[in-house]
Amino acid sequence: MASRITPTFARLRANKRPGLVTYITAGDPDLATSARILEALDRAGADLIEVGVPFSDPLADGPVIQRATERALAKGGSLRASLALVELVRPRVKAPIVLFSYANPLLRMGMEEFARTASGAGVDGVLVLDLPIEEAGPFHETLDRSGLDTIFLLSPTTSEARIRKAAALGRGFLYVISRLGVTGARDQVASDARALVQRVRAHTALPVALGFGISRPEHVAEVGAYADAAVVGSALVALIAEAGQSADLVEKIESFVRWLRGTTRNVHA
């Protein structure tokens, strides 16, 4: 099945509207609740959903997502459980789904088996956080055979040569992080984010999604002025941590995403 990512960004561009990309960790606070959260994200208008595979050594992630990974692992989270979760909700979720993972779980499963299973589950794209672009050729070919988009991560220190390589191998969109360091919500978007997006655009026509530190509707609007989409991760994961055991967790998630999109006030702020 063809990826849903390219048509989604084409529709956003045609409507002259920036996209909202949301991230959660699969299995946080537990797998059954994750399924309900994914459906709520879709209902609330997330244009694309990123699902993080819990891994025991999440070096690129800050404390909020690290704790989410620990909670997910404690409740049985894994790569196979994450794929089963996507397969479970896929019939009810319209938005494209991108799987975020470190390389180790994929290599342990076997790349061919992973690609087949992910495609069958309804995954649209895969981003491997610690896969060097220089070593991504065979990975890209394996995913491509299964109809999956290879998503690359670019940072303020990515060289022009590596941006060109990511643009050549990448499919769907490029994920640009606005600052160095680990993930985490911030009070404001990095001051040089616009220049970074412009530098990436000089090498590719692929859509650009900007993440790291985006947590408020004004951030989403600001980023949408120069990028194709804004990515909200840690702020959403922090809300799950805060409200994880409450009966209205899913309602709070849905309300928060509608607030980010500017369609309602945030009653839980």
Side-chain angles (χ1 to χ4, degrees):
M1 183 174 183
S3 166
R4 301 165 183 81
I5 296 173
T6 297
T8 294
F9 277 105
R11 185 176 67 252
L12 289 168
R13 283 182 168 177
N15 293 336
K16 295 181 170 55
R17 181 175 73 77
L20 175 64
V21 182
T22 57
Y23 169 94
I24 68 161
T25 300
D28 176 37
D30 56 66
L31 287 161
T33 307
S34 281
R36 296 171 58 219
I37 289 172
L38 289 172
E39 293 173 22
L41 294 174
D42 192 55
R43 280 196 307 272
D47 297 292
L48 192 146
I49 298 171
E50 297 171 345
V51 176
V53 175
F55 178 56
S56 58
D57 197 16
L59 294 176
D61 292 304
V64 170
I65 294 180
Q66 284 186 16
R67 298 295 87 78
T69 287
E70 292 168 2
R71 292 190 297 270
L73 289 171
K75 291 298 180 83
S78 66
L79 174 57
R80 291 187 185 278
S82 301
L83 293 170
L85 173 66
V86 174
E87 185 173 23
L88 175 68
V89 303
R90 185 74 275 182
R92 298 180 295 281
V93 171
K94 302 185 301 296
I97 295 176
V98 174
L99 206 69
F100 268 42
S101 182
Y102 289 86
N104 181 278
L106 308 188
L107 295 172
R108 288 181 62 192
M109 185 175 191
M111 287 306 308
E112 293 286 352
E113 182 184 355
F114 165 72
R116 287 194 305 270
T117 306
S119 178
V123 171
D124 296 283
V126 181
L127 190 154
V128 183
L129 291 154
D130 54 349
L131 178 69
I133 294 171
E134 293 81 3
E135 299 175 20
F139 174 74
H140 159 77
E141 292 168 10
T142 301
L143 291 189
D144 198 51
R145 285 194 294 272
S146 290
L148 297 167
D149 290 339
T150 305
I151 315 296
F152 286 104
L153 192 68
L154 303 176
S155 78
T157 58
T158 303
S159 68
E160 305 300 315
R162 298 185 89 229
I163 292 174
R164 288 193 292 271
K165 179 79 169 176
L169 285 180
R171 297 287 186 274
F173 68 102
L174 293 171
Y175 182 15
V176 176
I177 59 174
S178 61
R179 63 183 82 235
L180 298 178
V182 296
T183 56
R186 302 290 194 280
D187 291 331
Q188 58 190 28
V189 179
S191 58
D192 54 354
R194 180 189 291 267
L196 175 59
V197 170
Q198 290 172 342
R199 189 158 69 88
V200 172
R201 285 202 192 281
H203 299 287
T204 182
L206 282 173
V208 174
L210 185 80
F212 270 43
I214 297 168
S215 61
R216 304 181 60 81
E218 54 265 34
H219 297 166
V220 175
E222 178 184 342
V223 167
Y226 52 84
D228 296 280
V231 184
V232 177
S234 292
L236 195 52
V237 174
L239 179 58
I240 294 171
E242 174 190 318
Q245 302 305 317
S246 65
D248 60 348
L249 166 62
V250 174
E251 179 189 342
K252 288 181 176 180
I253 294 295
E254 189 166 346
S255 174
F256 182 71
V257 173
R258 292 185 188 280
W259 175 67
L260 288 171
R261 288 203 56 190
T263 56
T264 184
R265 67 187 184 89
N266 183 17
V267 296
H268 303 294

